Amino acid sequence: MITKCVFAGTFDPPTLGHKATVDDCLKMFDEVVIALLVNPNKQPAFSVEQRKEMLAIDYDNEPRVKVVEFTGTAVELMKRENATAYVRGIRNGVDLDYENANLYASKKLDENFTAVYLPCRQELLHVSSSMVRSSLQFSTPIDEYVSVGVKTYIERLIREKRS
């Protein structure tokens, strides 16, 4: 039996924390679907296409990873992808409370919905997409938050925007 998980988020932008979670998933599952959630009520810093390109930078050479775009519930996404587990990265108790609330709501829609919580690596506890966006706003380094490839991509976008 092939096992497949879904790891969903806005990835605005994808961070080293996201990458670590996907890398951990690749140790446990045959396939990983990275679902780029599109919320029409949110104004992300990066477009959907830019976020997809950044995710592809880290995973284009990994055939077991698929990046998809999605608007809808986690339950719908799991069914569409025929996945066995919905993976969530947990940094702290606040994340756990938030994810548990979502888990209980999802289980009301599908009692077989299964979530897997992966603890954040200790050295990445401070990493978040909002920290990257804040660093970009104040022109401070983002090296400790994103992969080299994503950093290069973002720097190119900034240069193009200035010209």
Side-chain angles (χ1 to χ4, degrees), residues 11-65:
F11 305 104
D12 187 36
T15 68
L16 290 173
H18 296 130
K19 185 172 182 343
T21 300
V22 172
D23 291 346
D24 287 346
C25 288
L26 287 168
K27 295 174 188 171
M28 296 182 284
F29 297 95
D30 298 316
E31 295 179 40
V32 179
V33 176
I34 302 174
L36 178 61
L37 298 181
V38 180
N39 183 341
N41 298 322
K42 285 189 176 182
Q43 288 298 322
F46 298 94
S47 71
V48 169
E49 203 51 48
Q50 289 168 336
R51 289 179 279 155
K52 283 170 76 175
E53 288 173 8
M54 285 186 269
L55 287 164
I57 287 169
D58 288 329
Y59 294 104
D60 253 2
N61 294 322
E62 175 51 76
R64 298 180 302 142
V65 172

Short mmCIF file of all heavy atoms in Angstrom, two decimals, residues 11-65:
data_model
loop_
_atom_site.label_atom_id
_atom_site.label_comp_id
_atom_site.label_asym_id
_atom_site.label_seq_id
_atom_site.Cartn_x
_atom_site.Cartn_y
_atom_site.Cartn_z
N PHE A 11 2.32 29.14 2.87
CA PHE A 11 3.71 29.18 2.40
C PHE A 11 4.05 30.57 1.82
O PHE A 11 4.50 30.70 0.69
CB PHE A 11 3.98 28.08 1.36
CG PHE A 11 3.64 26.71 1.85
CD1 PHE A 11 2.49 26.06 1.43
CD2 PHE A 11 4.46 26.07 2.78
CE1 PHE A 11 2.17 24.79 1.91
CE2 PHE A 11 4.15 24.80 3.26
CZ PHE A 11 2.99 24.17 2.81
N ASP A 12 3.86 31.59 2.64
CA ASP A 12 4.02 32.98 2.20
C ASP A 12 5.14 33.70 2.93
O ASP A 12 4.87 34.58 3.73
CB ASP A 12 2.68 33.72 2.39
CG ASP A 12 2.69 35.11 1.80
OD1 ASP A 12 3.31 35.30 0.74
OD2 ASP A 12 2.06 36.02 2.40
N PRO A 13 6.38 33.36 2.66
CA PRO A 13 6.94 32.37 1.72
C PRO A 13 7.24 31.05 2.43
O PRO A 13 7.15 30.95 3.66
CB PRO A 13 8.25 33.03 1.29
CG PRO A 13 8.73 33.71 2.54
CD PRO A 13 7.45 34.21 3.21
N PRO A 14 7.64 30.03 1.65
CA PRO A 14 8.06 28.76 2.27
C PRO A 14 9.34 28.98 3.07
O PRO A 14 10.25 29.67 2.62
CB PRO A 14 8.32 27.83 1.09
CG PRO A 14 7.98 28.58 -0.14
CD PRO A 14 7.71 29.99 0.21
N THR A 15 9.38 28.38 4.26
CA THR A 15 10.52 28.57 5.16
C THR A 15 11.30 27.28 5.35
O THR A 15 10.88 26.21 4.90
CB THR A 15 10.03 29.03 6.54
OG1 THR A 15 9.31 27.95 7.14
CG2 THR A 15 9.19 30.29 6.46
N LEU A 16 12.40 27.40 6.09
CA LEU A 16 13.16 26.21 6.46
C LEU A 16 12.34 25.29 7.37
O LEU A 16 12.52 24.07 7.36
CB LEU A 16 14.46 26.60 7.16
CG LEU A 16 15.51 27.26 6.26
CD1 LEU A 16 16.68 27.77 7.10
CD2 LEU A 16 15.98 26.31 5.18
N GLY A 17 11.41 25.86 8.13
CA GLY A 17 10.53 25.05 8.95
C GLY A 17 9.61 24.19 8.09
O GLY A 17 9.41 23.00 8.35
N HIS A 18 9.06 24.80 7.05
CA HIS A 18 8.23 24.04 6.11
C HIS A 18 9.06 22.93 5.45
O HIS A 18 8.62 21.79 5.34
CB HIS A 18 7.67 24.95 5.00
CG HIS A 18 6.74 26.00 5.49
ND1 HIS A 18 6.89 27.32 5.14
CD2 HIS A 18 5.65 25.93 6.29
CE1 HIS A 18 5.91 28.03 5.69
NE2 HIS A 18 5.16 27.21 6.41
N LYS A 19 10.27 23.29 5.04
CA LYS A 19 11.14 22.33 4.37
C LYS A 19 11.47 21.16 5.29
O LYS A 19 11.44 19.99 4.87
CB LYS A 19 12.43 23.01 3.88
CG LYS A 19 13.32 22.09 3.07
CD LYS A 19 14.47 22.86 2.44
CE LYS A 19 15.38 22.02 1.58
NZ LYS A 19 15.34 20.60 1.70
N ALA A 20 11.76 21.45 6.54
CA ALA A 20 12.07 20.39 7.51
C ALA A 20 10.88 19.45 7.69
O ALA A 20 11.04 18.23 7.78
CB ALA A 20 12.49 20.99 8.85
N THR A 21 9.68 20.01 7.71
CA THR A 21 8.48 19.19 7.86
C THR A 21 8.30 18.27 6.65
O THR A 21 8.05 17.08 6.80
CB THR A 21 7.23 20.07 8.07
OG1 THR A 21 7.41 20.84 9.27
CG2 THR A 21 5.97 19.23 8.21
N VAL A 22 8.48 18.82 5.45
CA VAL A 22 8.36 18.00 4.24
C VAL A 22 9.45 16.93 4.23
O VAL A 22 9.19 15.76 3.92
CB VAL A 22 8.41 18.86 2.97
CG1 VAL A 22 8.47 17.98 1.71
CG2 VAL A 22 7.20 19.79 2.90
N ASP A 23 10.65 17.31 4.59
CA ASP A 23 11.76 16.33 4.63
C ASP A 23 11.46 15.21 5.62
O ASP A 23 11.73 14.04 5.34
CB ASP A 23 13.08 17.01 4.98
CG ASP A 23 13.58 17.93 3.86
OD1 ASP A 23 13.07 17.85 2.72
OD2 ASP A 23 14.49 18.74 4.13
N ASP A 24 10.87 15.54 6.77
CA ASP A 24 10.48 14.52 7.74
C ASP A 24 9.37 13.63 7.17
O ASP A 24 9.37 12.41 7.38
CB ASP A 24 10.03 15.15 9.05
CG ASP A 24 11.20 15.72 9.87
OD1 ASP A 24 12.36 15.41 9.55
OD2 ASP A 24 10.92 16.49 10.81
N CYS A 25 8.44 14.23 6.46
CA CYS A 25 7.36 13.46 5.83
C CYS A 25 7.91 12.45 4.83
O CYS A 25 7.42 11.32 4.74
CB CYS A 25 6.38 14.38 5.11
SG CYS A 25 5.32 15.34 6.20
N LEU A 26 8.94 12.84 4.10
CA LEU A 26 9.54 11.95 3.10
C LEU A 26 10.18 10.72 3.74
O LEU A 26 10.36 9.70 3.08
CB LEU A 26 10.56 12.71 2.25
CG LEU A 26 9.95 13.68 1.24
CD1 LEU A 26 11.03 14.60 0.66
CD2 LEU A 26 9.20 12.94 0.15
N LYS A 27 10.49 10.81 5.04
CA LYS A 27 11.03 9.65 5.75
C LYS A 27 9.92 8.68 6.15
O LYS A 27 10.20 7.52 6.44
CB LYS A 27 11.77 10.11 7.02
CG LYS A 27 13.00 10.94 6.74
CD LYS A 27 13.58 11.47 8.04
CE LYS A 27 14.70 12.45 7.77
NZ LYS A 27 15.13 13.12 9.02
N MET A 28 8.67 9.16 6.19
CA MET A 28 7.56 8.35 6.69
C MET A 28 6.54 7.94 5.64
O MET A 28 5.83 6.96 5.83
CB MET A 28 6.82 9.12 7.79
CG MET A 28 7.66 9.39 9.01
SD MET A 28 6.71 10.23 10.28
CE MET A 28 6.65 11.88 9.63
N PHE A 29 6.45 8.70 4.56
CA PHE A 29 5.42 8.47 3.56
C PHE A 29 6.04 8.25 2.19
O PHE A 29 7.12 8.76 1.89
CB PHE A 29 4.45 9.67 3.50
CG PHE A 29 3.70 9.90 4.78
CD1 PHE A 29 4.17 10.81 5.72
CD2 PHE A 29 2.54 9.20 5.05
CE1 PHE A 29 3.49 11.03 6.90
CE2 PHE A 29 1.85 9.40 6.24
CZ PHE A 29 2.32 10.32 7.17
N ASP A 30 5.32 7.54 1.34
CA ASP A 30 5.78 7.31 -0.03
C ASP A 30 5.63 8.56 -0.89
O ASP A 30 6.42 8.78 -1.80
CB ASP A 30 4.97 6.17 -0.68
CG ASP A 30 5.16 4.85 0.06
OD1 ASP A 30 6.30 4.53 0.41
OD2 ASP A 30 4.15 4.16 0.30
N GLU A 31 4.59 9.34 -0.60
CA GLU A 31 4.32 10.56 -1.37
C GLU A 31 3.93 11.68 -0.41
O GLU A 31 3.25 11.44 0.59
CB GLU A 31 3.17 10.35 -2.36
CG GLU A 31 3.46 9.36 -3.45
CD GLU A 31 2.26 9.20 -4.38
OE1 GLU A 31 1.60 10.20 -4.71
OE2 GLU A 31 1.99 8.05 -4.77
N VAL A 32 4.33 12.90 -0.77
CA VAL A 32 3.96 14.09 -0.01
C VAL A 32 3.31 15.09 -0.96
O VAL A 32 3.92 15.47 -1.97
CB VAL A 32 5.18 14.74 0.68
CG1 VAL A 32 4.76 15.99 1.44
CG2 VAL A 32 5.89 13.76 1.59
N VAL A 33 2.10 15.49 -0.65
CA VAL A 33 1.42 16.53 -1.41
C VAL A 33 1.55 17.82 -0.61
O VAL A 33 1.07 17.89 0.54
CB VAL A 33 -0.07 16.19 -1.63
CG1 VAL A 33 -0.78 17.34 -2.35
CG2 VAL A 33 -0.21 14.90 -2.41
N ILE A 34 2.23 18.80 -1.17
CA ILE A 34 2.29 20.12 -0.56
C ILE A 34 1.14 20.91 -1.16
O ILE A 34 1.12 21.16 -2.36
CB ILE A 34 3.63 20.83 -0.83
CG1 ILE A 34 4.80 19.99 -0.32
CG2 ILE A 34 3.63 22.22 -0.19
CD1 ILE A 34 6.17 20.57 -0.68
N ALA A 35 0.17 21.26 -0.32
CA ALA A 35 -1.01 21.96 -0.80
C ALA A 35 -0.91 23.44 -0.44
O ALA A 35 -0.91 23.81 0.73
CB ALA A 35 -2.27 21.35 -0.20
N LEU A 36 -0.81 24.24 -1.47
CA LEU A 36 -0.74 25.68 -1.31
C LEU A 36 -2.18 26.18 -1.18
O LEU A 36 -2.95 26.16 -2.15
CB LEU A 36 -0.06 26.30 -2.53
CG LEU A 36 0.05 27.80 -2.59
CD1 LEU A 36 0.85 28.33 -1.41
CD2 LEU A 36 0.71 28.22 -3.89
N LEU A 37 -2.55 26.55 0.04
CA LEU A 37 -3.93 26.99 0.28
C LEU A 37 -4.12 28.42 -0.21
O LEU A 37 -3.30 29.30 0.07
CB LEU A 37 -4.25 26.89 1.77
CG LEU A 37 -4.18 25.50 2.37
CD1 LEU A 37 -4.54 25.53 3.85
CD2 LEU A 37 -5.10 24.54 1.63
N VAL A 38 -5.19 28.61 -0.93
CA VAL A 38 -5.52 29.92 -1.47
C VAL A 38 -6.76 30.42 -0.73
O VAL A 38 -7.83 29.81 -0.82
CB VAL A 38 -5.79 29.85 -2.98
CG1 VAL A 38 -6.14 31.22 -3.53
CG2 VAL A 38 -4.58 29.26 -3.71
N ASN A 39 -6.58 31.49 0.03
CA ASN A 39 -7.68 32.09 0.77
C ASN A 39 -8.00 33.44 0.14
O ASN A 39 -7.21 34.38 0.25
CB ASN A 39 -7.30 32.26 2.25
CG ASN A 39 -8.43 32.82 3.08
OD1 ASN A 39 -9.38 33.40 2.57
ND2 ASN A 39 -8.32 32.66 4.39
N PRO A 40 -9.13 33.55 -0.55
CA PRO A 40 -9.45 34.81 -1.23
C PRO A 40 -9.61 35.99 -0.28
O PRO A 40 -9.57 37.13 -0.70
CB PRO A 40 -10.76 34.50 -1.97
CG PRO A 40 -11.28 33.24 -1.41
CD PRO A 40 -10.15 32.53 -0.73
N ASN A 41 -9.76 35.72 1.02
CA ASN A 41 -9.91 36.79 2.01
C ASN A 41 -8.58 37.30 2.53
O ASN A 41 -8.55 38.23 3.32
CB ASN A 41 -10.77 36.30 3.18
CG ASN A 41 -12.16 35.92 2.74
OD1 ASN A 41 -12.74 36.58 1.88
ND2 ASN A 41 -12.71 34.86 3.31
N LYS A 42 -7.48 36.67 2.12
CA LYS A 42 -6.15 37.10 2.57
C LYS A 42 -5.38 37.73 1.43
O LYS A 42 -5.54 37.34 0.28
CB LYS A 42 -5.36 35.91 3.12
CG LYS A 42 -5.79 35.44 4.48
CD LYS A 42 -4.82 34.41 5.02
CE LYS A 42 -5.18 34.00 6.44
NZ LYS A 42 -4.21 33.05 6.97
N GLN A 43 -4.54 38.68 1.77
CA GLN A 43 -3.67 39.32 0.79
C GLN A 43 -2.23 38.90 1.08
O GLN A 43 -1.54 39.56 1.86
CB GLN A 43 -3.81 40.85 0.87
CG GLN A 43 -5.12 41.37 0.31
CD GLN A 43 -5.28 41.05 -1.17
OE1 GLN A 43 -4.33 41.10 -1.94
NE2 GLN A 43 -6.49 40.70 -1.57
N PRO A 44 -1.76 37.82 0.48
CA PRO A 44 -0.40 37.36 0.74
C PRO A 44 0.64 38.31 0.15
O PRO A 44 0.34 39.08 -0.77
CB PRO A 44 -0.34 35.99 0.07
CG PRO A 44 -1.39 36.06 -0.99
CD PRO A 44 -2.47 36.98 -0.48
N ALA A 45 1.84 38.24 0.68
CA ALA A 45 2.94 39.07 0.16
C ALA A 45 3.40 38.58 -1.20
O ALA A 45 3.85 39.37 -2.03
CB ALA A 45 4.10 39.05 1.15
N PHE A 46 3.28 37.27 -1.44
CA PHE A 46 3.72 36.67 -2.69
C PHE A 46 2.52 36.05 -3.40
O PHE A 46 1.63 35.50 -2.75
CB PHE A 46 4.79 35.59 -2.43
CG PHE A 46 6.03 36.13 -1.80
CD1 PHE A 46 6.19 36.12 -0.41
CD2 PHE A 46 7.05 36.68 -2.57
CE1 PHE A 46 7.32 36.64 0.18
CE2 PHE A 46 8.19 37.20 -1.98
CZ PHE A 46 8.33 37.18 -0.60
N SER A 47 2.51 36.14 -4.72
CA SER A 47 1.40 35.57 -5.49
C SER A 47 1.41 34.04 -5.39
O SER A 47 2.41 33.44 -4.99
CB SER A 47 1.52 35.98 -6.97
OG SER A 47 2.61 35.29 -7.57
N VAL A 48 0.31 33.44 -5.77
CA VAL A 48 0.22 31.98 -5.78
C VAL A 48 1.32 31.41 -6.67
O VAL A 48 2.01 30.46 -6.28
CB VAL A 48 -1.18 31.51 -6.27
CG1 VAL A 48 -1.19 30.02 -6.53
CG2 VAL A 48 -2.25 31.90 -5.27
N GLU A 49 1.48 32.00 -7.84
CA GLU A 49 2.49 31.49 -8.78
C GLU A 49 3.90 31.61 -8.19
O GLU A 49 4.71 30.70 -8.31
CB GLU A 49 2.40 32.24 -10.11
CG GLU A 49 2.97 31.48 -11.27
CD GLU A 49 2.42 30.05 -11.40
OE1 GLU A 49 1.20 29.83 -11.34
OE2 GLU A 49 3.25 29.13 -11.56
N GLN A 50 4.20 32.72 -7.53
CA GLN A 50 5.51 32.90 -6.91
C GLN A 50 5.74 31.87 -5.80
O GLN A 50 6.81 31.29 -5.69
CB GLN A 50 5.65 34.32 -6.34
CG GLN A 50 5.78 35.38 -7.40
CD GLN A 50 5.61 36.79 -6.85
OE1 GLN A 50 5.00 37.01 -5.81
NE2 GLN A 50 6.17 37.76 -7.56
N ARG A 51 4.71 31.62 -5.00
CA ARG A 51 4.85 30.64 -3.92
C ARG A 51 5.03 29.23 -4.47
O ARG A 51 5.83 28.45 -3.95
CB ARG A 51 3.65 30.73 -2.97
CG ARG A 51 3.69 32.02 -2.13
CD ARG A 51 2.52 32.14 -1.20
NE ARG A 51 1.36 32.64 -1.94
CZ ARG A 51 0.11 32.42 -1.60
NH1 ARG A 51 -0.19 31.69 -0.54
NH2 ARG A 51 -0.88 32.92 -2.31
N LYS A 52 4.33 28.92 -5.55
CA LYS A 52 4.51 27.62 -6.20
C LYS A 52 5.93 27.49 -6.74
O LYS A 52 6.56 26.43 -6.60
CB LYS A 52 3.50 27.44 -7.33
CG LYS A 52 2.11 27.09 -6.83
CD LYS A 52 1.06 27.15 -7.90
CE LYS A 52 1.09 25.99 -8.83
NZ LYS A 52 -0.04 26.02 -9.80
N GLU A 53 6.44 28.55 -7.33
CA GLU A 53 7.81 28.53 -7.85
C GLU A 53 8.83 28.35 -6.73
O GLU A 53 9.80 27.61 -6.88
CB GLU A 53 8.10 29.81 -8.65
CG GLU A 53 7.37 29.85 -9.98
CD GLU A 53 7.52 31.18 -10.72
OE1 GLU A 53 8.31 32.04 -10.27
OE2 GLU A 53 6.83 31.35 -11.74
N MET A 54 8.60 29.01 -5.59
CA MET A 54 9.53 28.86 -4.47
C MET A 54 9.49 27.43 -3.93
O MET A 54 10.55 26.88 -3.61
CB MET A 54 9.20 29.88 -3.36
CG MET A 54 9.64 31.29 -3.70
SD MET A 54 9.42 32.44 -2.33
CE MET A 54 7.77 33.05 -2.66
N LEU A 55 8.31 26.84 -3.83
CA LEU A 55 8.23 25.45 -3.37
C LEU A 55 8.92 24.52 -4.36
O LEU A 55 9.60 23.57 -3.97
CB LEU A 55 6.77 25.03 -3.18
CG LEU A 55 6.08 25.64 -1.95
CD1 LEU A 55 4.57 25.50 -2.04
CD2 LEU A 55 6.62 25.01 -0.67
N ALA A 56 8.79 24.81 -5.64
CA ALA A 56 9.42 23.98 -6.67
C ALA A 56 10.94 24.05 -6.58
O ALA A 56 11.63 23.07 -6.89
CB ALA A 56 8.94 24.40 -8.06
N ILE A 57 11.47 25.17 -6.14
CA ILE A 57 12.93 25.31 -6.02
C ILE A 57 13.50 24.20 -5.15
O ILE A 57 14.52 23.61 -5.47
CB ILE A 57 13.29 26.71 -5.45
CG1 ILE A 57 13.07 27.77 -6.53
CG2 ILE A 57 14.73 26.75 -4.94
CD1 ILE A 57 13.13 29.20 -6.00
N ASP A 58 12.84 23.94 -4.04
CA ASP A 58 13.34 22.93 -3.11
C ASP A 58 12.95 21.50 -3.48
O ASP A 58 13.59 20.56 -3.01
CB ASP A 58 12.85 23.23 -1.69
CG ASP A 58 13.54 24.45 -1.09
OD1 ASP A 58 14.71 24.70 -1.43
OD2 ASP A 58 12.90 25.14 -0.27
N TYR A 59 11.90 21.32 -4.32
CA TYR A 59 11.39 19.96 -4.54
C TYR A 59 11.23 19.52 -5.99
O TYR A 59 10.70 18.44 -6.24
CB TYR A 59 10.07 19.78 -3.78
CG TYR A 59 10.31 19.84 -2.30
CD1 TYR A 59 9.99 20.97 -1.57
CD2 TYR A 59 10.95 18.79 -1.66
CE1 TYR A 59 10.28 21.04 -0.21
CE2 TYR A 59 11.24 18.85 -0.30
CZ TYR A 59 10.90 19.98 0.40
OH TYR A 59 11.20 20.05 1.73
N ASP A 60 11.70 20.30 -6.93
CA ASP A 60 11.57 19.91 -8.34
C ASP A 60 12.27 18.58 -8.65
O ASP A 60 11.84 17.85 -9.52
CB ASP A 60 12.12 21.01 -9.26
CG ASP A 60 10.99 21.74 -9.97
OD1 ASP A 60 9.82 21.41 -9.72
OD2 ASP A 60 11.29 22.63 -10.77
N ASN A 61 13.34 18.28 -7.94
CA ASN A 61 14.08 17.05 -8.19
C ASN A 61 13.65 15.90 -7.29
O ASN A 61 14.34 14.89 -7.22
CB ASN A 61 15.58 17.30 -8.07
CG ASN A 61 16.07 18.24 -9.15
OD1 ASN A 61 15.61 18.19 -10.29
ND2 ASN A 61 16.99 19.13 -8.80
N GLU A 62 12.54 16.06 -6.59
CA GLU A 62 12.05 15.01 -5.70
C GLU A 62 10.72 14.49 -6.27
O GLU A 62 9.67 15.14 -6.11
CB GLU A 62 11.85 15.56 -4.28
CG GLU A 62 11.24 14.59 -3.30
CD GLU A 62 11.91 13.23 -3.25
OE1 GLU A 62 13.01 13.13 -2.66
OE2 GLU A 62 11.34 12.26 -3.79
N PRO A 63 10.76 13.35 -6.95
CA PRO A 63 9.55 12.83 -7.61
C PRO A 63 8.43 12.44 -6.65
O PRO A 63 7.27 12.31 -7.07
CB PRO A 63 10.05 11.61 -8.39
CG PRO A 63 11.31 11.20 -7.69
CD PRO A 63 11.91 12.46 -7.13
N ARG A 64 8.75 12.29 -5.37
CA ARG A 64 7.72 11.90 -4.40
C ARG A 64 6.95 13.10 -3.83
O ARG A 64 6.05 12.93 -3.03
CB ARG A 64 8.34 11.10 -3.26
CG ARG A 64 8.97 9.79 -3.76
CD ARG A 64 9.60 8.99 -2.64
NE ARG A 64 10.63 9.77 -1.96
CZ ARG A 64 10.85 9.75 -0.64
NH1 ARG A 64 10.14 8.97 0.13
NH2 ARG A 64 11.80 10.48 -0.12
N VAL A 65 7.31 14.31 -4.29
CA VAL A 65 6.63 15.52 -3.82
C VAL A 65 5.85 16.13 -4.97
O VAL A 65 6.35 16.27 -6.07
CB VAL A 65 7.64 16.55 -3.27
CG1 VAL A 65 6.96 17.87 -2.97
CG2 VAL A 65 8.32 16.02 -2.02
#
